[in-house]
Each structure stands twice: as C-alpha cells, then as structure tokens.
Amino acid sequence: MTTETPAAESGAAPVAFVVDDDEAVRDALALHLDLAGLAVRCCASAAEFLEAASPDQPGCAILDIRMPGMDGLDLQQEMIRRGLTLPVIVITGHGDVTAAVRAFRAGAVDFLQKPFDEDLLIERVQEAFERDRAARRADGETGEIRRRLALLSPRELEVMEMVAQGLPNKTIAHRLAIGIRTVETHRARVLEKMEARNAPELALMRMKLGERLD
C-alpha cells in the first residue's frame, strides 16, 4: 500500500518518492525526510510508484536497486519510457558497486549505501529537489522559446539562424540573395516575435534550443 505524509498532499511541494520493498527501510527514510520538513510518498514496489507518479509532479525518486519483480534499474528505464524525469537516487547494499555504476550510467544522480547517514540523506534529497526545479525551469523557458519560434515564417527562421550566428546584414543579404533593407525588415520582425531586445539575446535563446531547427 502506498503511504504519504500530509506535506505531500497539496501537490505544490516537491515529493521524495521512496520505492523499497522493505517496510522498515521505507519507514526509516520517510521519518527522516518528514522530520526535515520534506514531503514524502512511500511505495512498496515499482508498480505502486508508476501508478502514483506523474510527469507533472516535481521532486525525486529514491529507488532500491534490489527489489522483487521490477528492480530499481528496470524502473529507471521504465521512468524514461514514460517521461518521468524525476532525479533518481539509488539505494544500494554493501558491495553493490556494479549495480550502482549501472544506475549512474542510466541517469541516476546519486546513490546511498545501506546503512545510510540521516544528514547525508536529507542533503542529497534537497540537492535532487533543486536539480529537478532547475530542470523544470529550463524546460519551461525552452517551451516558451519554441512557442515564439512557431510564429516565424520560413524566411524569418533563416534570418534568425544567421543573426544568432552573429552575421551582419550584408552577409545575410548575400547568402539569401535578398536586399539589405529586406534583411533589416525580417530582422526587426524576428526580434519582435521572439521578444528579444537585441541579437545577443536572440543568440542566447537559440543556444537554449540546442539542435538545428531544420
């Protein structure tokens, strides 16, 4: 059965999902985190976690690597498949280094070895919360940039790419075989639609998008 501390019920705060088949471990983790004022939700299996979690819920997931059925490593892969981007902290037993390495390669951000230190646990969870918060903030910014990008015409997209590269109007006009005045018009419209004050700000937006646009 999935258990939850009162702090997690509002949905506003980040939640530390504790996924472990050992009830004593779940209770100990939940107690430490709850006393630190952190919202906690405990799940006894990977299936319970997948039923409880959603892409919109911020926080982190604390996964035991060794669980019956779907273990922590398999759960990591399933989280990726379902678009659950919560930072993952894995719990390992003594000498379980190989499994921990595999978890890191799959995207885990940290690991705790049993028996774990209470202060270290809280510190790692708070770091994971901040990592998730920063990632969601960045995703929100990227989504807004893409919304603005959709307002550009194909020609404006071409001009934007070149302006973001720092090319002068004369070079852009030559490459596109259009007049400089036309480039200036397109450039002004791009800045307006992208809500960029200048070319450097436009270049920063373009950098945040990463991949090519075509």
Side-chain angles (χ1 to χ4, degrees), residues 125-137:
V125 170
Q126 290 173 331
E127 289 174 355
F129 279 2
E130 182 53 40
R131 183 188 293 259
D132 183 54
R133 189 178 299 113
R136 290 175 186 275
R137 187 184 305 119

PDB file of all heavy atoms in Angstrom, residues 125-137:
ATOM      1  N   VAL A 125      18.689  14.548  -0.971  1.00  0.00           N
ATOM      2  CA  VAL A 125      17.324  14.760  -1.447  1.00  0.00           C
ATOM      3  C   VAL A 125      17.092  16.238  -1.760  1.00  0.00           C
ATOM      4  O   VAL A 125      16.482  16.587  -2.779  1.00  0.00           O
ATOM      5  CB  VAL A 125      16.296  14.264  -0.410  1.00  0.00           C
ATOM      6  CG1 VAL A 125      14.878  14.718  -0.789  1.00  0.00           C
ATOM      7  CG2 VAL A 125      16.346  12.740  -0.308  1.00  0.00           C
ATOM      8  N   GLN A 126      17.578  17.124  -0.906  1.00  0.00           N
ATOM      9  CA  GLN A 126      17.441  18.555  -1.172  1.00  0.00           C
ATOM     10  C   GLN A 126      18.167  18.952  -2.447  1.00  0.00           C
ATOM     11  O   GLN A 126      17.670  19.777  -3.227  1.00  0.00           O
ATOM     12  CB  GLN A 126      17.961  19.365   0.016  1.00  0.00           C
ATOM     13  CG  GLN A 126      17.076  19.265   1.252  1.00  0.00           C
ATOM     14  CD  GLN A 126      17.683  19.934   2.470  1.00  0.00           C
ATOM     15  OE1 GLN A 126      18.906  20.021   2.622  1.00  0.00           O
ATOM     16  NE2 GLN A 126      16.821  20.422   3.363  1.00  0.00           N
ATOM     17  N   GLU A 127      19.330  18.373  -2.682  1.00  0.00           N
ATOM     18  CA  GLU A 127      20.065  18.634  -3.923  1.00  0.00           C
ATOM     19  C   GLU A 127      19.282  18.132  -5.128  1.00  0.00           C
ATOM     20  O   GLU A 127      19.239  18.795  -6.171  1.00  0.00           O
ATOM     21  CB  GLU A 127      21.440  17.962  -3.871  1.00  0.00           C
ATOM     22  CG  GLU A 127      22.407  18.612  -2.900  1.00  0.00           C
ATOM     23  CD  GLU A 127      23.711  17.833  -2.778  1.00  0.00           C
ATOM     24  OE1 GLU A 127      23.810  16.741  -3.374  1.00  0.00           O
ATOM     25  OE2 GLU A 127      24.627  18.326  -2.094  1.00  0.00           O
ATOM     26  N   ALA A 128      18.653  16.969  -4.976  1.00  0.00           N
ATOM     27  CA  ALA A 128      17.860  16.415  -6.077  1.00  0.00           C
ATOM     28  C   ALA A 128      16.646  17.290  -6.354  1.00  0.00           C
ATOM     29  O   ALA A 128      16.264  17.510  -7.516  1.00  0.00           O
ATOM     30  CB  ALA A 128      17.421  14.987  -5.741  1.00  0.00           C
ATOM     31  N   PHE A 129      16.011  17.797  -5.301  1.00  0.00           N
ATOM     32  CA  PHE A 129      14.881  18.710  -5.476  1.00  0.00           C
ATOM     33  C   PHE A 129      15.304  19.944  -6.275  1.00  0.00           C
ATOM     34  O   PHE A 129      14.602  20.385  -7.188  1.00  0.00           O
ATOM     35  CB  PHE A 129      14.345  19.159  -4.112  1.00  0.00           C
ATOM     36  CG  PHE A 129      13.423  18.178  -3.441  1.00  0.00           C
ATOM     37  CD1 PHE A 129      13.134  16.946  -4.013  1.00  0.00           C
ATOM     38  CD2 PHE A 129      12.834  18.493  -2.216  1.00  0.00           C
ATOM     39  CE1 PHE A 129      12.280  16.040  -3.389  1.00  0.00           C
ATOM     40  CE2 PHE A 129      11.972  17.607  -1.579  1.00  0.00           C
ATOM     41  CZ  PHE A 129      11.697  16.380  -2.164  1.00  0.00           C
ATOM     42  N   GLU A 130      16.461  20.498  -5.918  1.00  0.00           N
ATOM     43  CA  GLU A 130      16.945  21.700  -6.607  1.00  0.00           C
ATOM     44  C   GLU A 130      17.292  21.388  -8.061  1.00  0.00           C
ATOM     45  O   GLU A 130      17.023  22.193  -8.956  1.00  0.00           O
ATOM     46  CB  GLU A 130      18.172  22.261  -5.884  1.00  0.00           C
ATOM     47  CG  GLU A 130      18.712  23.536  -6.509  1.00  0.00           C
ATOM     48  CD  GLU A 130      17.655  24.618  -6.669  1.00  0.00           C
ATOM     49  OE1 GLU A 130      16.817  24.771  -5.755  1.00  0.00           O
ATOM     50  OE2 GLU A 130      17.663  25.305  -7.713  1.00  0.00           O
ATOM     51  N   ARG A 131      17.868  20.220  -8.294  1.00  0.00           N
ATOM     52  CA  ARG A 131      18.196  19.816  -9.656  1.00  0.00           C
ATOM     53  C   ARG A 131      16.920  19.699 -10.496  1.00  0.00           C
ATOM     54  O   ARG A 131      16.871  20.151 -11.643  1.00  0.00           O
ATOM     55  CB  ARG A 131      18.925  18.462  -9.633  1.00  0.00           C
ATOM     56  CG  ARG A 131      19.375  17.967 -11.007  1.00  0.00           C
ATOM     57  CD  ARG A 131      19.897  16.547 -10.891  1.00  0.00           C
ATOM     58  NE  ARG A 131      21.122  16.477 -10.132  1.00  0.00           N
ATOM     59  CZ  ARG A 131      22.331  16.372 -10.681  1.00  0.00           C
ATOM     60  NH1 ARG A 131      22.461  16.336 -11.994  1.00  0.00           N
ATOM     61  NH2 ARG A 131      23.397  16.296  -9.917  1.00  0.00           N
ATOM     62  N   ASP A 132      15.900  19.096  -9.909  1.00  0.00           N
ATOM     63  CA  ASP A 132      14.631  18.936 -10.621  1.00  0.00           C
ATOM     64  C   ASP A 132      13.986  20.296 -10.878  1.00  0.00           C
ATOM     65  O   ASP A 132      13.453  20.552 -11.966  1.00  0.00           O
ATOM     66  CB  ASP A 132      13.682  18.053  -9.797  1.00  0.00           C
ATOM     67  CG  ASP A 132      12.376  17.782 -10.508  1.00  0.00           C
ATOM     68  OD1 ASP A 132      12.413  17.294 -11.657  1.00  0.00           O
ATOM     69  OD2 ASP A 132      11.312  18.068  -9.924  1.00  0.00           O
ATOM     70  N   ARG A 133      14.043  21.174  -9.875  1.00  0.00           N
ATOM     71  CA  ARG A 133      13.470  22.516 -10.019  1.00  0.00           C
ATOM     72  C   ARG A 133      14.148  23.274 -11.161  1.00  0.00           C
ATOM     73  O   ARG A 133      13.485  23.904 -11.998  1.00  0.00           O
ATOM     74  CB  ARG A 133      13.623  23.276  -8.700  1.00  0.00           C
ATOM     75  CG  ARG A 133      12.882  24.600  -8.656  1.00  0.00           C
ATOM     76  CD  ARG A 133      13.045  25.265  -7.295  1.00  0.00           C
ATOM     77  NE  ARG A 133      12.492  24.442  -6.225  1.00  0.00           N
ATOM     78  CZ  ARG A 133      13.203  23.863  -5.284  1.00  0.00           C
ATOM     79  NH1 ARG A 133      14.523  24.018  -5.241  1.00  0.00           N
ATOM     80  NH2 ARG A 133      12.628  23.128  -4.352  1.00  0.00           N
ATOM     81  N   ALA A 134      15.470  23.192 -11.209  1.00  0.00           N
ATOM     82  CA  ALA A 134      16.220  23.883 -12.259  1.00  0.00           C
ATOM     83  C   ALA A 134      15.900  23.306 -13.638  1.00  0.00           C
ATOM     84  O   ALA A 134      15.749  24.055 -14.616  1.00  0.00           O
ATOM     85  CB  ALA A 134      17.718  23.778 -11.980  1.00  0.00           C
ATOM     86  N   ALA A 135      15.781  21.988 -13.711  1.00  0.00           N
ATOM     87  CA  ALA A 135      15.486  21.347 -14.992  1.00  0.00           C
ATOM     88  C   ALA A 135      14.099  21.725 -15.489  1.00  0.00           C
ATOM     89  O   ALA A 135      13.894  22.005 -16.672  1.00  0.00           O
ATOM     90  CB  ALA A 135      15.595  19.823 -14.852  1.00  0.00           C
ATOM     91  N   ARG A 136      13.124  21.764 -14.570  1.00  0.00           N
ATOM     92  CA  ARG A 136      11.765  22.134 -14.968  1.00  0.00           C
ATOM     93  C   ARG A 136      11.696  23.606 -15.386  1.00  0.00           C
ATOM     94  O   ARG A 136      10.958  23.961 -16.308  1.00  0.00           O
ATOM     95  CB  ARG A 136      10.784  21.844 -13.822  1.00  0.00           C
ATOM     96  CG  ARG A 136      10.566  20.365 -13.585  1.00  0.00           C
ATOM     97  CD  ARG A 136       9.686  20.070 -12.381  1.00  0.00           C
ATOM     98  NE  ARG A 136       9.637  18.647 -12.125  1.00  0.00           N
ATOM     99  CZ  ARG A 136       8.807  17.802 -12.730  1.00  0.00           C
ATOM    100  NH1 ARG A 136       7.924  18.263 -13.600  1.00  0.00           N
ATOM    101  NH2 ARG A 136       8.830  16.512 -12.449  1.00  0.00           N
ATOM    102  N   ARG A 137      12.467  24.436 -14.704  1.00  0.00           N
ATOM    103  CA  ARG A 137      12.511  25.850 -15.072  1.00  0.00           C
ATOM    104  C   ARG A 137      13.091  26.008 -16.484  1.00  0.00           C
ATOM    105  O   ARG A 137      12.570  26.756 -17.312  1.00  0.00           O
ATOM    106  CB  ARG A 137      13.345  26.632 -14.070  1.00  0.00           C
ATOM    107  CG  ARG A 137      13.310  28.147 -14.279  1.00  0.00           C
ATOM    108  CD  ARG A 137      14.242  28.853 -13.312  1.00  0.00           C
ATOM    109  NE  ARG A 137      13.954  28.502 -11.930  1.00  0.00           N
ATOM    110  CZ  ARG A 137      14.809  27.904 -11.120  1.00  0.00           C
ATOM    111  NH1 ARG A 137      16.025  27.586 -11.556  1.00  0.00           N
ATOM    112  NH2 ARG A 137      14.478  27.637  -9.877  1.00  0.00           N
TER     113      ARG A 137
END
